[in-house]
PDB file of all heavy atoms in Angstrom:
ATOM      1  N   ARG A 278     134.292  49.548 165.169  1.00  0.00           N
ATOM      2  CA  ARG A 278     135.170  49.914 164.016  1.00  0.00           C
ATOM      3  C   ARG A 278     134.558  49.326 162.725  1.00  0.00           C
ATOM      4  O   ARG A 278     134.619  49.965 161.649  1.00  0.00           O
ATOM      5  CB  ARG A 278     136.578  49.344 164.248  1.00  0.00           C
ATOM      6  CG  ARG A 278     137.531  49.443 163.005  1.00  0.00           C
ATOM      7  CD  ARG A 278     137.694  50.885 162.529  1.00  0.00           C
ATOM      8  NE  ARG A 278     138.265  51.719 163.576  1.00  0.00           N
ATOM      9  CZ  ARG A 278     138.176  53.026 163.616  1.00  0.00           C
ATOM     10  NH1 ARG A 278     137.455  53.630 162.635  1.00  0.00           N
ATOM     11  NH2 ARG A 278     138.671  53.753 164.607  1.00  0.00           N
ATOM     12  N   ILE A 281     131.658  51.470 161.651  1.00  0.00           N
ATOM     13  CA  ILE A 281     132.121  52.770 161.078  1.00  0.00           C
ATOM     14  C   ILE A 281     132.688  52.483 159.677  1.00  0.00           C
ATOM     15  O   ILE A 281     132.358  53.267 158.715  1.00  0.00           O
ATOM     16  CB  ILE A 281     133.223  53.393 161.968  1.00  0.00           C
ATOM     17  CG1 ILE A 281     132.591  53.847 163.255  1.00  0.00           C
ATOM     18  CG2 ILE A 281     133.882  54.570 161.240  1.00  0.00           C
ATOM     19  CD1 ILE A 281     133.586  54.233 164.340  1.00  0.00           C
ATOM     20  N   ASN A 282     133.450  51.457 159.465  1.00  0.00           N
ATOM     21  CA  ASN A 282     134.022  51.118 158.163  1.00  0.00           C
ATOM     22  C   ASN A 282     132.887  50.879 157.166  1.00  0.00           C
ATOM     23  O   ASN A 282     132.999  51.223 155.956  1.00  0.00           O
ATOM     24  CB  ASN A 282     134.957  49.910 158.243  1.00  0.00           C
ATOM     25  CG  ASN A 282     136.245  50.250 158.920  1.00  0.00           C
ATOM     26  OD1 ASN A 282     136.589  51.435 159.093  1.00  0.00           O
ATOM     27  ND2 ASN A 282     137.006  49.250 159.296  1.00  0.00           N
ATOM     28  N   SER A 283     131.843  50.174 157.607  1.00  0.00           N
ATOM     29  CA  SER A 283     130.733  49.900 156.737  1.00  0.00           C
ATOM     30  C   SER A 283     130.069  51.187 156.267  1.00  0.00           C
ATOM     31  O   SER A 283     129.639  51.356 155.107  1.00  0.00           O
ATOM     32  CB  SER A 283     129.704  49.024 157.422  1.00  0.00           C
ATOM     33  OG  SER A 283     130.244  47.737 157.697  1.00  0.00           O
ATOM     34  N   TYR A 285     131.572  54.130 155.965  1.00  0.00           N
ATOM     35  CA  TYR A 285     132.400  54.727 154.924  1.00  0.00           C
ATOM     36  C   TYR A 285     132.246  54.071 153.583  1.00  0.00           C
ATOM     37  O   TYR A 285     132.151  54.690 152.564  1.00  0.00           O
ATOM     38  CB  TYR A 285     133.876  54.603 155.382  1.00  0.00           C
ATOM     39  CG  TYR A 285     134.324  55.652 156.420  1.00  0.00           C
ATOM     40  CD1 TYR A 285     135.120  55.237 157.492  1.00  0.00           C
ATOM     41  CD2 TYR A 285     133.990  56.967 156.331  1.00  0.00           C
ATOM     42  CE1 TYR A 285     135.542  56.146 158.466  1.00  0.00           C
ATOM     43  CE2 TYR A 285     134.468  57.874 157.245  1.00  0.00           C
ATOM     44  CZ  TYR A 285     135.174  57.458 158.328  1.00  0.00           C
ATOM     45  OH  TYR A 285     135.662  58.357 159.264  1.00  0.00           O
ATOM     46  N   GLU A 286     132.131  52.717 153.624  1.00  0.00           N
ATOM     47  CA  GLU A 286     131.997  51.984 152.325  1.00  0.00           C
ATOM     48  C   GLU A 286     130.684  52.282 151.652  1.00  0.00           C
ATOM     49  O   GLU A 286     130.639  52.499 150.438  1.00  0.00           O
ATOM     50  CB  GLU A 286     132.083  50.439 152.587  1.00  0.00           C
ATOM     51  CG  GLU A 286     132.023  49.635 151.349  1.00  0.00           C
ATOM     52  CD  GLU A 286     133.120  49.894 150.345  1.00  0.00           C
ATOM     53  OE1 GLU A 286     134.238  50.291 150.781  1.00  0.00           O
ATOM     54  OE2 GLU A 286     132.872  49.781 149.140  1.00  0.00           O
ATOM     55  N   ALA A 289     131.029  55.637 150.083  1.00  0.00           N
ATOM     56  CA  ALA A 289     131.887  55.534 148.858  1.00  0.00           C
ATOM     57  C   ALA A 289     131.046  54.983 147.693  1.00  0.00           C
ATOM     58  O   ALA A 289     131.176  55.420 146.537  1.00  0.00           O
ATOM     59  CB  ALA A 289     133.077  54.674 149.109  1.00  0.00           C
ATOM     60  N   PHE A 303     138.675  59.018 148.264  1.00  0.00           N
ATOM     61  CA  PHE A 303     138.970  59.796 149.472  1.00  0.00           C
ATOM     62  C   PHE A 303     138.301  59.192 150.717  1.00  0.00           C
ATOM     63  O   PHE A 303     138.921  59.018 151.744  1.00  0.00           O
ATOM     64  CB  PHE A 303     138.512  61.237 149.302  1.00  0.00           C
ATOM     65  CG  PHE A 303     138.505  62.044 150.553  1.00  0.00           C
ATOM     66  CD1 PHE A 303     139.687  62.623 151.044  1.00  0.00           C
ATOM     67  CD2 PHE A 303     137.353  62.224 151.308  1.00  0.00           C
ATOM     68  CE1 PHE A 303     139.704  63.361 152.241  1.00  0.00           C
ATOM     69  CE2 PHE A 303     137.353  62.970 152.494  1.00  0.00           C
ATOM     70  CZ  PHE A 303     138.504  63.492 152.924  1.00  0.00           C
ATOM     71  N   ILE A 304     137.034  58.752 150.542  1.00  0.00           N
ATOM     72  CA  ILE A 304     136.293  58.160 151.658  1.00  0.00           C
ATOM     73  C   ILE A 304     136.908  56.856 152.090  1.00  0.00           C
ATOM     74  O   ILE A 304     137.083  56.601 153.301  1.00  0.00           O
ATOM     75  CB  ILE A 304     134.810  58.064 151.290  1.00  0.00           C
ATOM     76  CG1 ILE A 304     134.165  59.369 151.067  1.00  0.00           C
ATOM     77  CG2 ILE A 304     134.077  57.194 152.339  1.00  0.00           C
ATOM     78  CD1 ILE A 304     132.724  59.304 150.529  1.00  0.00           C
ATOM     79  N   ARG A 305     137.276  56.035 151.098  1.00  0.00           N
ATOM     80  CA  ARG A 305     137.817  54.709 151.433  1.00  0.00           C
ATOM     81  C   ARG A 305     139.179  54.825 152.143  1.00  0.00           C
ATOM     82  O   ARG A 305     139.561  53.889 152.903  1.00  0.00           O
ATOM     83  CB  ARG A 305     137.994  53.851 150.168  1.00  0.00           C
ATOM     84  CG  ARG A 305     136.620  53.334 149.635  1.00  0.00           C
ATOM     85  CD  ARG A 305     136.785  52.237 148.675  1.00  0.00           C
ATOM     86  NE  ARG A 305     135.465  51.671 148.323  1.00  0.00           N
ATOM     87  CZ  ARG A 305     134.809  51.998 147.204  1.00  0.00           C
ATOM     88  NH1 ARG A 305     135.362  52.866 146.292  1.00  0.00           N
ATOM     89  NH2 ARG A 305     133.631  51.462 146.923  1.00  0.00           N
ATOM     90  N   ARG A 306     139.883  55.961 151.984  1.00  0.00           N
ATOM     91  CA  ARG A 306     141.144  56.049 152.709  1.00  0.00           C
ATOM     92  C   ARG A 306     140.926  56.287 154.158  1.00  0.00           C
ATOM     93  O   ARG A 306     141.891  56.169 154.999  1.00  0.00           O
ATOM     94  CB  ARG A 306     141.929  57.210 152.109  1.00  0.00           C
ATOM     95  CG  ARG A 306     142.554  56.921 150.719  1.00  0.00           C
ATOM     96  CD  ARG A 306     143.685  57.911 150.349  1.00  0.00           C
ATOM     97  NE  ARG A 306     143.126  59.254 150.123  1.00  0.00           N
ATOM     98  CZ  ARG A 306     142.717  59.685 148.921  1.00  0.00           C
ATOM     99  NH1 ARG A 306     142.760  58.823 147.853  1.00  0.00           N
ATOM    100  NH2 ARG A 306     142.275  60.859 148.726  1.00  0.00           N
ATOM    101  N   LYS A 307     139.714  56.530 154.538  1.00  0.00           N
ATOM    102  CA  LYS A 307     139.411  56.701 155.987  1.00  0.00           C
ATOM    103  C   LYS A 307     139.161  55.361 156.758  1.00  0.00           C
ATOM    104  O   LYS A 307     139.090  55.326 157.968  1.00  0.00           O
ATOM    105  CB  LYS A 307     138.129  57.569 156.133  1.00  0.00           C
ATOM    106  CG  LYS A 307     138.315  59.039 155.720  1.00  0.00           C
ATOM    107  CD  LYS A 307     139.265  59.756 156.628  1.00  0.00           C
ATOM    108  CE  LYS A 307     139.379  61.230 156.226  1.00  0.00           C
ATOM    109  NZ  LYS A 307     140.265  61.989 157.096  1.00  0.00           N
ATOM    110  N   ILE A 308     138.940  54.299 155.915  1.00  0.00           N
ATOM    111  CA  ILE A 308     138.707  52.988 156.513  1.00  0.00           C
ATOM    112  C   ILE A 308     139.913  52.478 157.222  1.00  0.00           C
ATOM    113  O   ILE A 308     141.046  52.509 156.721  1.00  0.00           O
ATOM    114  CB  ILE A 308     138.261  51.992 155.416  1.00  0.00           C
ATOM    115  CG1 ILE A 308     136.891  52.446 154.833  1.00  0.00           C
ATOM    116  CG2 ILE A 308     138.172  50.558 155.977  1.00  0.00           C
ATOM    117  CD1 ILE A 308     136.430  51.588 153.632  1.00  0.00           C
ATOM    118  N   GLU A 309     139.728  52.038 158.465  1.00  0.00           N
ATOM    119  CA  GLU A 309     140.849  51.550 159.286  1.00  0.00           C
ATOM    120  C   GLU A 309     140.611  50.070 159.598  1.00  0.00           C
ATOM    121  O   GLU A 309     139.532  49.560 159.717  1.00  0.00           O
ATOM    122  CB  GLU A 309     140.967  52.344 160.613  1.00  0.00           C
ATOM    123  CG  GLU A 309     141.184  53.859 160.404  1.00  0.00           C
ATOM    124  CD  GLU A 309     141.267  54.570 161.786  1.00  0.00           C
ATOM    125  OE1 GLU A 309     141.560  53.880 162.773  1.00  0.00           O
ATOM    126  OE2 GLU A 309     140.978  55.773 161.771  1.00  0.00           O
ATOM    127  N   ALA A 310     141.741  49.356 159.827  1.00  0.00           N
ATOM    128  CA  ALA A 310     141.658  47.964 160.162  1.00  0.00           C
ATOM    129  C   ALA A 310     141.070  47.803 161.600  1.00  0.00           C
ATOM    130  O   ALA A 310     141.415  48.569 162.486  1.00  0.00           O
ATOM    131  CB  ALA A 310     143.056  47.317 160.162  1.00  0.00           C
TER     132      ALA A 310
END
Side-chain angles (χ1 to χ4, degrees):
R278 171 60 59 202
I281 290 169
N282 287 346
S283 294
Y285 282 135
E286 182 59 31
F303 169 81
I304 294 172
R305 286 196 174 99
R306 287 197 291 271
K307 294 291 183 180
I308 295 175
E309 299 180 24

